[in-house]
Amino acid sequence: PVKLIQKDWKEKGIRNKKETLDFLRGYEHSSYLDYFGIYRTEGKIISKESFPNYFPNTKDFNNEIFSWLDYKQL
């Protein structure tokens, strides 16, 4: 969903990390909040058990998100 606020993020990197995180935390059409550990009614349709256990806890998930926000294409 970041492409909705910054179309060139993959090519140029995230310009404003705080704005991007705020957007992700408020964007209701993404499962980001469900995997971050925040309850949403919409999350009932997600089968978290089928999602590979890449992130055993929310801290690991958060670290991966921050790493992703620092991504810059070479």
Side-chain angles (χ1 to χ4, degrees):
V2 173
K3 197 169 190 172
L4 294 171
I5 61 168
Q6 185 186 334
K7 293 182 192 253
D8 63 352
W9 76 268
K10 287 184 182 178
E11 296 78 23
K12 298 186 177 181
I14 299 291
R15 284 191 290 265
N16 186 323
K17 284 192 227 177
K18 182 184 180 329
E19 176 186 345
T20 303
L21 278 175
D22 289 345
F23 175 75
L24 286 173
R25 290 178 180 151
Y27 187 68
E28 60 188 52
H29 305 292
S30 169
S31 59
Y32 169 81
L33 293 175
D34 302 296
Y35 290 105
F36 191 67
I38 296 172
Y39 175 81
R40 311 179 307 136
T41 304
E42 297 86 348
K44 291 180 180 180
I45 65 169
I46 295 172
S47 175
K48 291 182 190 172
E49 295 78 30
S50 345
F51 190 71
N53 194 15
Y54 297 127
F55 316 111
N57 55 55
T58 55
K59 181 180 178 188
D60 289 342
F61 177 75
N62 198 34
N63 287 340
E64 180 63 24
I65 294 299
F66 278 106
S67 173
W68 172 76
L69 289 174
D70 285 332
Y71 170 81
K72 289 196 174 138
Q73 190 173 21
L74 301 174

